[in-house]
């Protein structure tokens, strides 16, 4: 139900698939293929060139449909490659070779992600921490990220000069308790009770610090800078050649930060919270 990208050079369309149901993982054993998968499909025939399942047997409603960003960069060995970068709701930002689906990098969007210890780059499989699993008869507490994901509907942006992706982040964790339920046609088929709150870097008493804005290098896996926000950064970002990154916030501001440092340079109050994306265009030579 999310977003896709098309590359005329590879003739492939790239998109992600959603989560399995019900949320009670005990009721659906196995990997639940091909949920939570990045597909590259031939746009003429629909044939899948590759499929990479990020979260086999998803336990947390981490629907993997977020933005697919295409870039051409040199990898760690210096080889120029056609890449696809995807910040997932599961708290991992993935970079694949978009010609064949090979995994190039997989890093935590924030160091507070705890459902996975890491992603094995050879197998592509996440290494789970069972303490934060959602099995029956286990109340999982302080699960990070929440079912909203550390990244959700925002369309992020890429600065080719700096080789940085500017990402709007949710910093929200949860408690999760599953329960058994029968399937009834036309009724919700969920099977879990959730409680959400700010992540460890936020202010849980005042329910602030629910978001972040970050500058990420997909090749090194490093974050050049990160800044906390009062609420989740739900809308997307816009990188410009003028060394600025623009984005909106749920408390009703459009902001501009320095692309190199993250310093807040300007903000303007809008009449409502922002869930949409800044855009740029030129008119008579002016951007």
């Amino acid at each position: 139900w999310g977003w896709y990208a098309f590359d005329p050079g590879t003739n492939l369309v790239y998109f992600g698939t959603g989560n399995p149901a019900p949320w009670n993982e005990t009721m659906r054993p196995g990997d639940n293929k091909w949920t939570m998968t990045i597909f590259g499909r031939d746009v003429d025939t629909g044939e899948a060139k590759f499929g990479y399942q990020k979260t086999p047997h998803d336990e947390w409603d981490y629907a993997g449909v977020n933005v697919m960003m295409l870039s051409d960069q040199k990898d760690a060995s210096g080889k120029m490659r056609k890449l696809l970068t995807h910040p997932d709701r599961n708290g991992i930002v993935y970079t694949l070779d978009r010609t064949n689906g090979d995994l190039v990098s997989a890093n935590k969007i924030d160091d507070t992600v705890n459902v996975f210890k890491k992603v094995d780059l050879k197998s592509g499989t996440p290494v789970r921490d069972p303490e934060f699993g959602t099995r029956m008869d286990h109340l999982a507490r302080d699960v990070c990220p929440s079912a909203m994901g550390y990244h959700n509907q925002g369309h992020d942006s890429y600065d080719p000069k700096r080789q940085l992706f500017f990402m709007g982040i949710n910093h929200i964790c949860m408690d999760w308790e599953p329960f058994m339920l029968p399937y009834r046609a036309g009724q919700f088929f969920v099977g879990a009770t959730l409680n959400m709150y700010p992540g460890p870097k936020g202010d849980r008493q005042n329910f602030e610090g629910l978001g972040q804005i970050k500058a990420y290098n997909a090749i090194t896996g490093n974050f050049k800078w990160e800044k906390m926000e009062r609420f989740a950064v739900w809308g997307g970002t816009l990188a410009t050649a003028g060394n600025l990154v623009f984005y909106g916030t749920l408390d009703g501001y459009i902001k501009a930060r320095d692309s190199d440092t993250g310093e807040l340079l300007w903000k303007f109050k809008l009449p409502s919270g922002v869930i949409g994306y800044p855009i740029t265009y030129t008119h008579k030579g002016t951007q």
Side-chain angles (χ1 to χ4, degrees), residues 108-185:
K108 292 184 177 184
I109 290 175
D110 191 73
D111 56 10
T112 58
V113 171
N114 58 25
V115 291
F116 305 131
K117 298 179 180 179
K118 64 176 184 177
V119 175
D120 186 309
L121 291 181
K122 289 186 178 180
S123 66
T125 304
V127 179
R128 283 167 155 84
D129 187 333
E131 176 62 26
F132 302 102
T134 65
R135 59 195 178 276
M136 284 291 294
D137 304 319
H138 172 70
L139 173 57
R141 296 185 184 274
D142 285 313
V143 176
C144 298
S146 75
M148 294 175 67
Y150 267 0
H151 189 285
N152 202 293
Q153 297 180 357
H155 279 209
D156 298 319
S157 56
Y158 177 63
D159 184 329
K161 177 182 175 182
R162 292 168 176 80
Q163 295 181 302
L164 292 174
F165 291 93
F166 298 108
M167 302 191 300
I169 305 300
N170 306 326
H171 188 64
I172 303 171
C173 300
M174 67 178 175
D175 301 335
W176 177 298
E177 188 170 19
F179 57 86
M180 302 297 288
L181 78 166
Y183 172 75
R184 294 188 179 94

Side-chain angles (χ1 to χ4, degrees), residues 154 168-170 210-213 229 231-237 247-250:
I169 305 300
N170 306 326
L210 291 155
Q212 297 173 301
I213 183 83
E229 286 286 350
F231 299 124
V233 183
W234 200 261
T237 68
Y247 65 101
T249 63
L250 290 180

Side-chain angles (χ1 to χ4, degrees), residues 217-236:
N217 185 305
I219 304 304
T220 65
N222 295 326
F223 291 92
K224 186 168 185 180
W225 53 261
E226 61 179 53
K227 303 293 181 181
M228 294 299 297
E229 286 286 350
R230 183 181 179 189
F231 299 124
V233 183
W234 200 261

Side-chain angles (χ1 to χ4, degrees), residues 187-208:
Q187 300 296 313
F188 284 113
F189 192 46
V190 179
T193 300
L194 282 66
N195 179 36
M196 300 189 193
Y197 39 80
K201 296 177 181 177
D203 181 347
R204 293 189 174 180
Q205 290 297 112
N206 296 306
F207 272 80
E208 295 184 349

Side-chain angles (χ1 to χ4, degrees), residues 256-281:
R257 291 187 182 271
D258 185 290
S259 299
D260 291 315
T261 67
E263 178 187 358
L264 182 63
L265 301 176
W266 173 82
K267 67 179 181 179
F268 181 80
K269 189 69 174 72
L270 300 173
S272 72
V274 180
I275 61 172
Y277 318 126
I279 61 172
T280 186
Y281 57 93

